[in-house]
Amino acid sequence: MKPLFRISLLVLLMASNPLSAQKLYFPERNETWKAAEKDQFKYNASQLSKAVDYANANEYSGSRDLRIAILDGFKQEPFHKILGPTKKRGGPAGMIFKNGYLLASWGDTKRVDMTFSVTKSFLSTVAGLAEDEGLIVNTKDKVGGYIWDGTFDGEHNSKITWEHLLQQNSDWSGELWGGKDWADRPPREGGLDDWKFRKLNEPGTVMEYNDVRVNVLAYSLTHVWRKPVPMILKEKVMDPIGATTTWRWFGYDNAWTEVDGIQMKSVTGGGHSGAGLFISTEDMARFGMLFLNNGQWKDQRLISEGWIKKATAPSVPNVNYGYMWWLNQKGPWHWEGVPEHVFYAAGFGGNFIVVDQKSGLVIVTRWLEPSKIGEFVKQVYEVF
């Protein structure tokens, strides 16, 4: 290869993946996260400190006793009750990174807390691993071709694909672990009969945020992997990225299924009836770093780039939602003053993992009033 051509090719590759031109820092297991050195990056440290103050001053307004916060937050749902473990939460906490180097942190970043629907982005990743390994041939396959126990029987449910479940536009109809699809986050208008006997939406046409259907995805993945989903996450992701041994992923108390003669717990994709992922801020940050680097931890490929590209592509019914990752594209959920290519995991109570692959930023927040997240992230971007 001629020298000039070699240089041009290198420049082209660096342009297609901006982070390839930057050295990323990945901490070892239990290593104290390395802070950015003075003058390593150009940013206004005083202004960043004010952004952190803003996060601390805008703590989630719900009770620190999350049983109370959950029951109050979802009181509009008929028959809603706590079905799985909960844990009293700590105060505001978070971390901000540039290329893996710590710029700021606040609160108790080692404390394990519930993370609610941030869990969905971890569940999506387990689906991605299944496709990467050929257990699921393609997310556009109908789930009924893999799960034939009646869960996807019927004229409507038989049309549902893995992609529909991942994008939350399946409108799966049924009951799982005592939860009815129509009773989970029902419309503000109407009543029980209206919700129960409504006309179902064609799969892929309307997004409806619904934990029962997300739990159907977790159940289906349990049977595809033939192992508990947390075990897959631990082996394939959390151990390789050096996460601590403190995180836990729970299901509802009654959510047992049998696979190969073994009783397995089917986990939830959120915590609005309890359960879900319980995890520290620092372990959330490691997960964010994995996605920052397009599925690679140091030199080890854990998730395919193809999957991350699919997971962060907008769905047809909702430009701000991919495969259980929120997208900051222009739409109803856009954060003004924040780049459109940013994507993030989001959970009840102000839990977020924000990823910007172009600038090398990862932002993790815990217990920030949800309505304040856009302003907070905007303030972080304004320091650069």
Side-chain angles (χ1 to χ4, degrees):
M1 183 183 292
K2 294 181 179 180
L4 182 60
F5 180 72
R6 187 184 299 120
I7 292 171
S8 300
L9 180 60
L10 178 61
V11 170
L12 181 63
L13 290 172
M14 287 166 60
S16 63
N17 182 9
L19 290 180
S20 66
Q22 307 169 23
K23 184 171 178 59
L24 301 182
Y25 164 66
F26 298 92
E28 300 293 333
R29 187 190 297 275
N30 298 321
E31 178 184 359
T32 299
W33 215 297
K34 190 177 293 183
E37 297 179 2
K38 186 179 180 181
D39 300 326
Q40 183 176 355
F41 304 111
K42 291 183 179 179
Y43 68 99
N44 188 320
S46 175
Q47 199 170 345
L48 183 60
S49 202
K50 289 180 181 178
V52 171
D53 290 343
Y54 181 85
N56 275 312
N58 286 281
E59 178 178 350
Y60 167 56
S61 56
S63 173
R64 289 200 180 189
D65 184 336
L66 288 175
R67 288 183 64 87
I68 295 174
I70 290 169
L71 292 172
D72 181 62
F74 298 98
K75 60 188 176 185
Q76 81 281 7
E77 296 185 9
F79 321 122
H80 179 258
K81 59 182 178 180
I82 303 294
L83 300 172
T86 62
K87 182 178 186 288
K88 291 183 178 180
R89 68 173 176 86
M95 305 176 85
I96 301 171
F97 304 89
K98 171 79 170 174
N99 295 354
Y101 294 91
L102 184 64
L103 301 183
S105 69
W106 62 99
D108 185 352
T109 59
K110 296 184 183 298
R111 178 187 170 93
V112 174
D113 268 335
M114 295 182 71
T115 196
F116 292 91
S117 285
V118 168
T119 309
K120 291 176 173 60
S121 300
F122 287 80
L123 181 63
S124 165
T125 301
V126 174
L129 293 168
E131 187 179 76
D132 285 347
E133 296 198 13
L135 301 179
I136 295 173
V137 178
N138 192 293
T139 52
K140 295 187 182 296
D141 289 348
K142 292 178 180 178
V143 188
Y146 298 76
I147 309 300
W148 44 262
D149 60 4
T151 306
F152 294 91
D153 284 355
E155 182 181 352
H156 177 83
N157 287 349
S158 63
K159 300 176 185 177
I160 293 171
T161 68
W162 293 100
E163 182 167 88
H164 294 145
L165 291 176
L166 287 159
Q167 294 177 341
Q168 298 214 63
N169 52 41
S170 72
D171 212 8
W172 179 87
S173 179
E175 180 175 334
L176 183 67
W177 317 130
K180 300 170 176 60
D181 73 281
W182 57 265
D184 188 301
R185 295 178 176 84
R188 294 186 181 277
E189 305 78 24
L192 293 181
D193 288 340
D194 302 298
W195 303 334
K196 281 192 291 187
F197 303 115
R198 66 186 176 82
K199 182 180 178 181
L200 297 176
N201 298 300
E202 188 70 14
T205 62
V206 178
M207 179 190 169
E208 290 184 349
Y209 209 78
N210 185 289
D211 273 30
V212 173
R213 297 177 190 132
V214 172
N215 295 341
V216 168
L217 172 61
Y219 169 82
S220 301
L221 288 172
T222 302
H223 281 266
V224 164
W225 278 103
R226 310 179 89 92
K227 287 182 180 180
V229 165
M231 185 180 293
I232 302 303
L233 184 73
K234 179 180 185 296
E235 293 174 355
K236 306 290 186 180
V237 175
M238 301 304 273
D239 283 352
I241 67 176
T244 68
T245 59
T246 62
W247 66 274
R248 299 290 184 272
W249 195 347
F250 296 102
Y252 298 146
D253 296 340
N254 67 333
W256 292 98
T257 186
E258 183 177 311
V259 182
D260 298 334
I262 300 171
Q263 289 291 311
M264 296 180 187
K265 178 60 70 77
S266 185
V267 294
T268 66
H272 97 277
S273 291
L277 193 67
F278 292 50
I279 191 171
S280 72
T281 305
E282 294 185 20
D283 283 344
M284 289 171 70
R286 287 176 181 265
F287 187 70
M289 279 295 300
L290 177 63
F291 275 77
L292 179 76
N293 200 36
N294 251 335
Q296 192 164 309
W297 187 266
K298 298 181 181 177
D299 296 325
Q300 184 180 5
R301 169 66 57 191
L302 302 180
I303 308 165
S304 70
E305 288 187 58
W307 175 262
I308 292 180
K309 185 177 180 180
K310 287 201 332 183
T312 56
S315 56
V316 172
N318 189 341
V319 70
N320 294 123
Y321 203 69
Y323 284 3
M324 298 187 172
W325 285 92
W326 289 94
L327 316 176
N328 195 46
Q329 299 200 9
K330 289 289 186 182
W333 296 94
H334 176 67
W335 297 336
E336 291 294 336
V338 178
E340 290 185 45
H341 58 260
V342 165
F343 60 90
Y344 59 96
F348 177 84
N351 291 277
F352 293 89
I353 305 173
V354 182
V355 180
D356 184 341
Q357 293 180 329
K358 292 186 178 180
S359 72
L361 279 178
V362 172
I363 304 167
V364 180
T365 73
R366 314 299 302 272
W367 315 119
L368 171 68
E369 187 64 38
S371 63
K372 305 295 184 182
I373 181 63
E375 174 61 25
F376 168 68
V377 175
K378 177 185 175 184
Q379 288 188 23
V380 172
Y381 272 86
E382 288 174 345
V383 311
F384 295 98

